[in-house]
Amino acid sequence: MRLFAALLLCLALPAHAEGFITRLLNKPVPGGVAVLDLGDSASAPQARYQGKPVLVVREDNRRWIAIVGIPLAVKAGPQQIETAGRALSFNVGTKHYREQRITLKNKEQVNPSPANLKRIERELAEQTRAYQQFSPRQPSNLLFDKPVNGPLSSPFGLRRFFNGEERNPHSGLDFAVGAGTPIKAPAAGKVILIGDYFFNGRTVFVDHGQGLISMFCHLSKIDVQLGQELPRGGVVGRVGATGRATGPHMHWNVSLNDARVDPAIFIGAFKP
């Protein structure tokens, strides 16, 4: 009887029980993350999604997994990655994102002048190149620390309307904290871009490895230099309200394979 019960238990278990990283990160929705099993080969396999390399790590010292960022624009339904000459399929579910309506006194921040539009295009290209970087380093941790201690305010993915006009969805996560609050690196990384931008204000990009990148913006002060290596918890800068912001807050983007994804996933605060 005991042998029979044990056999039933084994049959009920999945072939690969989910590890900690998979349970934490696997939220396959638009703007979310998909985790795919790549097997237990001796060396790390490579994988690509929409033509871009993706983060691959070993989970629980026994198998390789691909951690795939899903752009907000992806529709619900089947998707696939390419690895070792074959396709691995996964399914993207649905998620509803709320609306946010903001009134700005500075009309230039809603409908910029031609001169500012040229500046914005130049700055967007610079930031896009930073998001597309893919370094070989392994991330130090995938359960991130919060960059600041404070309540979450505007969530990721909000459909945003400025003075009644729809603009790009909210690509990060906001924390309601006061000006001057230190912003700490959620994981070790290298500073790959520093700027003072029309929309984002004072901004810092930190590369955590293999296309996993944090961006912090609207800072009042930047405390790092380009190329600097930051430990987990190292101070990036101070909270502010520079750029297009209605008041001091901490705005944090997380990007995977050049797809902006919900940072709440990485701090265990994701809400379906």
Side-chain angles (χ1 to χ4, degrees):
M1 178 63 76
R2 288 181 180 176
L3 180 60
F4 179 69
L7 179 60
L8 286 179
L9 179 61
C10 288
L11 291 174
L13 290 173
H16 292 289
E18 286 189 348
F20 171 77
I21 298 174
T22 300
R23 293 194 302 272
L24 173 71
L25 300 183
N26 191 40
K27 317 294 181 189
V29 297
V33 174
V35 180
L36 286 79
D37 187 347
L38 300 181
D40 57 357
S41 58
S43 58
Q46 295 182 341
R48 302 182 75 86
Y49 174 58
Q50 296 184 341
K52 298 176 181 178
V54 303
L55 170 61
V56 173
V57 299
R58 190 184 283 279
E59 183 171 47
D60 296 340
N61 295 316
R62 55 190 179 84
R63 59 175 181 152
W64 297 100
I65 54 174
I67 302 174
V68 184
I70 306 168
L72 260 174
V74 166
K75 304 297 183 184
Q79 293 285 308
Q80 64 182 30
I81 66 169
E82 303 294 328
T83 179
R86 62 192 177 103
L88 283 182
S89 297
F90 63 98
N91 194 64
V92 176
T94 58
K95 181 173 170 57
H96 172 72
Y97 291 103
R98 297 186 288 109
E99 293 183 1
Q100 182 185 45
R101 296 182 180 271
I102 300 172
T103 300
L104 295 173
K105 294 180 181 179
N106 186 349
K107 303 298 190 294
E108 269 289 299
Q109 292 183 334
V110 182
N111 294 298
S113 66
N116 277 328
L117 282 174
K118 288 184 179 179
R119 174 188 171 184
I120 291 164
E121 289 176 4
R122 186 170 62 250
E123 292 174 350
L124 177 61
E126 185 174 272
Q127 293 173 83
T128 298
R129 288 192 295 271
Y131 280 127
Q132 291 174 344
Q133 291 194 31
F134 191 88
S135 62
R137 69 190 297 160
Q138 282 276 327
S140 65
N141 52 288
L142 291 167
L143 173 58
F144 280 177
D145 297 331
K146 291 181 180 179
V148 294
N149 289 320
L152 305 182
S153 50
S154 297
F156 172 87
L158 287 172
R159 290 182 58 203
R160 296 186 303 174
F161 295 79
F162 291 98
N163 297 2
E165 299 184 33
E166 186 167 13
R167 293 295 184 263
N168 290 333
H170 192 227
S171 60
L173 184 65
D174 289 351
F175 291 77
V177 290
T181 302
I183 299 168
K184 299 179 180 180
K190 180 180 179 180
V191 178
I192 58 171
L193 182 63
I194 292 173
D196 191 351
Y197 301 122
F198 183 84
F199 286 130
N200 289 349
R202 294 189 182 101
T203 300
V204 176
F205 281 69
V206 177
D207 175 13
H208 304 295
Q210 291 197 52
L212 178 58
I213 293 169
S214 283
M215 186 274 280
F216 310 93
C217 65
H218 306 309
L219 277 62
S220 62
K221 182 175 183 289
I222 293 172
D223 290 322
V224 293
Q225 296 180 341
L226 189 64
Q228 181 176 335
E229 290 286 347
L230 273 174
R232 180 179 184 174
V235 175
V236 174
R238 311 285 165 161
V239 170
T242 56
R244 186 168 67 182
T246 55
H249 66 283
M250 205 291 294
H251 175 101
W252 175 35
N253 274 18
V254 171
S255 186
L256 261 176
N257 47 269
D258 193 25
R260 261 50 84 204
V261 296
D262 190 351
I265 294 170
F266 291 83
I267 57 174
F270 176 79
K271 294 182 179 179

